[in-house]
Amino acid sequence: MTNEQPETLPITRSEFSKLEIFKNVSFESLAGYLLGCKKILAQPGELLIDPEHPIRRLIVVLDGLLEVKLTSQGGNFSDTIEPGHSAGEMSIFDNIKPSASVYAKEPSHLLIVDATTALAMIHASHDLCLNFLHILCQRIRNNNRVVCQEEYHIRCIEENARVDSLTGLHNRRWLEEMYAREMSRSNAGNFKLCAFMLDIDHFKNVNDTYGHLAGDQVLMSVAQSITKSLRPSDMPVRYGGEEFTVFLPGTSLDNAKVIAERMRKNIEKMEITLPSGELLKVTVSIGFTERIENDSVPSIIERADQALYNAKENGRNRVCMNLGQDEMFLF
């Protein structure tokens, strides 16, 4: 007579049928394999999969919640594994140690299946194999969404880093990249290109008299007027302080003169409402020049800046054209 007890299954037919991983799988087809598996209760914080000391096994969540944690040079990533799903299957499929740690997030009943048994179960059940593929596809789709969202956020951050928060115009960081690209294109194709430097006249007096909030309002209003005076292809930038610069691709000196004068007049006609309710009028001085052979961004901006200085020295609220070789024309 023997005292051996008959082997029992770690999970019931009812528990089996509720698990996503065993959806459409015949309980009888896997019952023999389940005899060699065990059911455990994991406590919160218990480490179940350790990349440093990996054990190839399949962990099926019967109830509770697991947490996946991954630390890399790109930062930290975490996700959860809900009842009916599993952990550890990737290491079983590709025989590569796991890259993430898995912990019990709350008290969790788990079905533990060793790697050999898990592979045998997959060979025995076509439906189980399809379930694994379905779950893995869901994870890949979710990861793709996360990656796309992260890339979108990164693009937004990068774009915001190139925009002046006060005026909404692009800033010097954007200028360094886009102006260099436009200059290279114009030099290579011998295309026309003009550059403006623009400065708000007596801006320091605005700040000293009305305060910096008023100065901010003036900068925003002037930036809006600059944008309205330009064409969609033109490239305005807040250069710094009360200075602005504009690249005008495909623009001759004659057309640049017309645009500069239109810009100057539009700003001169503005009435700017200050935070105090007072109305203020300002003027600007503008210097401009045309690209010459083998020009660079610094050299063309320097010539436009020389023209701007000449306009300010000769009464302000004026436009000055620099033809190079100290040949200046005031308008």
Side-chain angles (χ1 to χ4, degrees):
M1 190 169 179
T2 179
N3 292 323
E4 290 184 4
Q5 297 294 323
E7 291 186 275
T8 59
L9 294 173
I11 59 174
T12 65
R13 180 190 295 271
S14 176
E15 289 175 314
F16 181 94
S17 64
K18 293 177 181 177
L19 300 175
E20 182 72 18
I21 199 168
F22 295 133
K23 183 179 180 181
N24 298 324
V25 178
S26 165
F27 181 72
E28 287 74 14
S29 68
L30 297 184
Y33 299 102
L34 291 173
L35 283 171
C37 303
K38 62 180 179 179
K39 179 179 178 181
I40 68 170
L41 174 62
Q43 298 300 325
E46 183 176 340
L47 181 59
L48 300 166
I49 295 180
D50 182 1
E52 299 302 320
H53 304 90
I55 301 173
R56 292 177 68 234
R57 61 181 185 175
L58 177 69
I59 302 174
V60 180
V61 184
L62 305 178
D63 60 56
L65 194 66
L66 304 187
E67 182 175 26
V68 181
K69 292 184 177 181
L70 173 64
T71 301
S72 68
Q73 291 181 340
N76 298 322
F77 169 82
S78 66
D79 198 4
T80 55
I81 301 176
E82 299 178 342
H85 292 261
S86 63
E89 67 282 341
M90 294 297 293
S91 293
I92 293 175
F93 295 154
D94 60 19
N95 199 24
I96 296 175
K97 75 174 186 176
S99 56
S101 302
V102 178
Y103 297 84
K105 193 174 179 66
E106 57 187 52
S108 305
H109 284 99
L110 309 171
L111 177 67
I112 307 299
V113 185
D114 67 74
T116 301
T117 302
L119 287 172
M121 291 168 70
I122 291 170
H123 283 294
S125 173
H126 178 72
D127 288 324
L128 178 60
C129 184
L130 289 178
N131 289 345
F132 272 116
L133 288 174
H134 177 69
I135 290 172
L136 291 175
C137 285
Q138 285 182 318
R139 291 181 184 175
I140 292 172
R141 289 179 186 276
N142 180 64
N143 289 341
N144 287 342
R145 282 195 295 270
V146 170
V147 169
C148 289
Q149 289 170 355
E150 288 298 319
E151 289 182 349
Y152 171 74
H153 290 313
I154 290 170
R155 288 197 301 271
C156 288
I157 291 170
E158 290 177 342
E159 181 61 24
N160 288 337
R162 291 173 169 82
V163 173
D164 175 56
S165 59
L166 178 65
T167 63
L169 298 181
H170 285 103
N171 59 21
R172 289 283 288 273
R173 182 176 177 183
W174 183 87
L175 176 153
E176 291 170 1
E177 177 182 344
M178 298 305 295
Y179 277 22
R181 185 181 301 178
E182 184 56 41
M183 179 62 72
S184 177
R185 189 186 75 89
S186 296
N187 280 333
N190 196 27
F191 301 130
K192 290 187 178 298
L193 172 68
C194 283
F196 288 0
M197 281 295 293
L198 178 151
D199 184 271
I200 302 174
D201 297 326
H202 303 295
F203 183 72
K204 184 177 183 300
N205 292 343
V206 174
N207 280 332
D208 292 345
T209 304
Y210 300 98
H212 289 282
L213 288 179
D216 288 348
Q217 185 59 54
V218 169
L219 288 168
M220 289 187 288
S221 299
V222 168
Q224 291 171 3
S225 185
I226 289 173
T227 302
K228 290 178 182 178
S229 302
L230 295 172
R231 304 158 303 180
S233 60
D234 297 331
M235 305 162 72
V237 166
R238 184 182 177 190
Y239 197 71
E242 68 272 26
E243 284 192 313
F244 301 83
T245 183
V246 186
F247 259 27
L248 300 95
T251 305
S252 66
L253 284 172
D254 288 339
N255 287 337
K257 174 182 175 295
V258 172
I259 295 169
E261 187 61 23
R262 179 172 69 222
M263 186 183 299
R264 185 195 65 78
K265 289 180 178 179
N266 287 343
I267 293 172
E268 184 182 31
K269 290 187 295 185
M270 280 195 313
E271 285 191 338
I272 302 170
T273 303
L274 303 180
S276 64
E278 295 178 80
L279 296 179
L280 180 66
K281 296 177 72 71
V282 297
T283 61
V284 297
S285 299
I286 302 173
F288 71 97
T289 190
E290 187 178 33
R291 181 194 65 82
I292 59 177
E293 187 177 358
N294 297 321
D295 228 338
S296 66
V297 173
S299 61
I300 194 172
I301 288 180
E302 182 180 359
R303 291 199 310 279
D305 197 46
Q306 291 169 353
L308 169 62
Y309 180 80
N310 194 52
K312 294 181 78 69
E313 285 291 297
N314 286 275
R316 292 184 170 83
N317 193 23
R318 301 192 68 172
V319 172
C320 180
M321 177 174 63
N322 187 350
L323 295 180
Q325 304 298 322
D326 296 324
E327 193 174 359
M328 305 274 192
F329 291 88
L330 286 162
F331 305 100

